[in-house]
Amino acid sequence: MNLNYKQNKSYGHELSDKNKMSARRRNVKDRLALLKKSGIFPPAEILEVGSHEGLFLKMAKEKGFGALGIEPNAHAARHARADGIETIEGYFEESFDKVAGRQFDIVALFHVLEHVPDYADCLSKIKSILKPGGWLVLEVPNGKSYRAKKYGNDWMYFYEEHLHDFSPERLKKELGWIGFEVASIYFRDFDCAHLSLRALLDRLLPFKFRGMNVKIRNQIKEEISSVQDTENFRNKSRDIRFFLMPIKVFLAFCVKILKRGDFIMVVARKNN
């Protein structure tokens, strides 16, 4: 267990960042649309493991879902409860007894499973609290994605806190062993529709883009921010973005069709 994560107060700054929260809301909206596409509709009870500030549950609740979260970070859990989302504070393994007697229609984990040492035990416990035919929804970095292969160990989602390297094939096989049948696999990115032109090209072209991997991205951060300080640059950027929009829409379509997203969102059903 990462005790530093439980007491990390940096989330307070993130929750007050309007741009970041707007991006998160768009990302949640996209996830909820994929649930609908998979045939998951309210009313249904959702348990989210690693529910953070409760944004996914809040937006799901607004659509008619029941909502309960489990979140280890104290600040994020308090924020969620203050926002009207029932939240159990703690890691899933230490909070399991509090939900063991309940049955849920859906259990969701977004970017959690790769952090769990014994993920098979975690999934088995989840299966035990799902109703017959209940849904498991999880999202993880795709260790076999186009960019993961291109950048190798420099890929931004290969780092020490990620204990496991998942792929669609591995998840499908291991979920089958535990007693789930995979219904859908979606290849996506965070805030997919608002990726930069550079990020889109990085998912389509075979050469490496400077600053698109974890080892050197901080190196260019100051270079970019120093240029963006000028009002003149911002005005030009707005004009350029307007003319590039049709190109970005086309490239985003190509990324989607070619399944070049960094993440995989898996929707699986519990076998009766």
Side-chain angles (χ1 to χ4, degrees), residues 89-111:
E89 188 177 321
Y91 285 102
F92 179 68
E93 55 266 37
E94 65 189 15
S95 306
F96 181 69
D97 288 346
K98 297 178 181 178
V99 296
R102 298 179 63 171
Q103 293 278 283
F104 298 91
D105 300 290
I106 307 152
V107 177
L109 308 88
F110 300 111
H111 296 271

Side-chain angles (χ1 to χ4, degrees), residues 69 85 101 181 186 240:
I85 302 301
E181 182 178 354
Y186 302 102
I240 292 170

Side-chain angles (χ1 to χ4, degrees), residues 21 43 57 60 71 80 125 130 142 155 185 190 232 265-266:
M21 293 310 296
L57 291 176
E71 169 54 45
K125 285 187 168 81
L130 275 172
N142 179 8
W155 186 48
I185 298 178
F190 176 81
N232 185 47
M265 179 171 153
V266 177

Side-chain angles (χ1 to χ4, degrees), residues 54-204:
L55 183 60
F56 172 78
L57 291 176
K58 180 181 179 181
M59 293 177 68
K61 193 174 179 181
E62 289 169 354
K63 291 187 174 294
F65 289 97
L68 172 65
I70 296 178
E71 169 54 45
N73 181 265
H75 181 89
R78 283 196 298 272
H79 184 278
R81 287 193 291 267
D83 215 16
I85 302 301
E86 183 184 358
T87 304
I88 299 169
E89 188 177 321
Y91 285 102
F92 179 68
E93 55 266 37
E94 65 189 15
S95 306
F96 181 69
D97 288 346
K98 297 178 181 178
V99 296
R102 298 179 63 171
Q103 293 278 283
F104 298 91
D105 300 290
I106 307 152
V107 177
L109 308 88
F110 300 111
H111 296 271
V112 171
L113 202 65
E114 65 270 27
H115 296 273
V116 179
D118 191 349
Y119 67 88
D121 180 67
C122 173
L123 291 171
S124 295
K125 285 187 168 81
I126 287 172
K127 183 188 173 190
S128 73
I129 57 174
L130 275 172
K131 294 177 182 177
W135 297 95
L136 169 69
V137 180
L138 62 89
E139 185 173 285
V140 294
N142 179 8
K144 295 292 185 287
S145 69
Y146 180 75
R147 293 209 311 156
K149 293 175 181 178
K150 181 165 74 169
Y151 286 107
N153 290 333
D154 283 337
W155 186 48
M156 63 190 303
Y157 296 106
F158 282 150
Y159 57 91
E160 60 183 13
E161 290 183 11
H162 286 183
L163 307 177
H164 311 288
D165 173 16
F166 292 110
S167 68
E169 296 77 17
R170 178 180 174 181
L171 277 175
K172 190 171 183 178
K173 183 185 296 182
E174 297 197 23
L175 288 173
W177 289 340
I178 293 168
F180 290 97
E181 182 178 354
V182 172
S184 304
I185 298 178
Y186 302 102
F187 297 80
R188 61 183 307 276
D189 286 289
F190 176 81
D191 196 16
C192 318
H194 288 75
L195 288 174
S196 68
L197 179 63
R198 197 169 183 222
L200 291 167
L201 289 172
D202 192 37
R203 285 156 174 77
L204 296 168

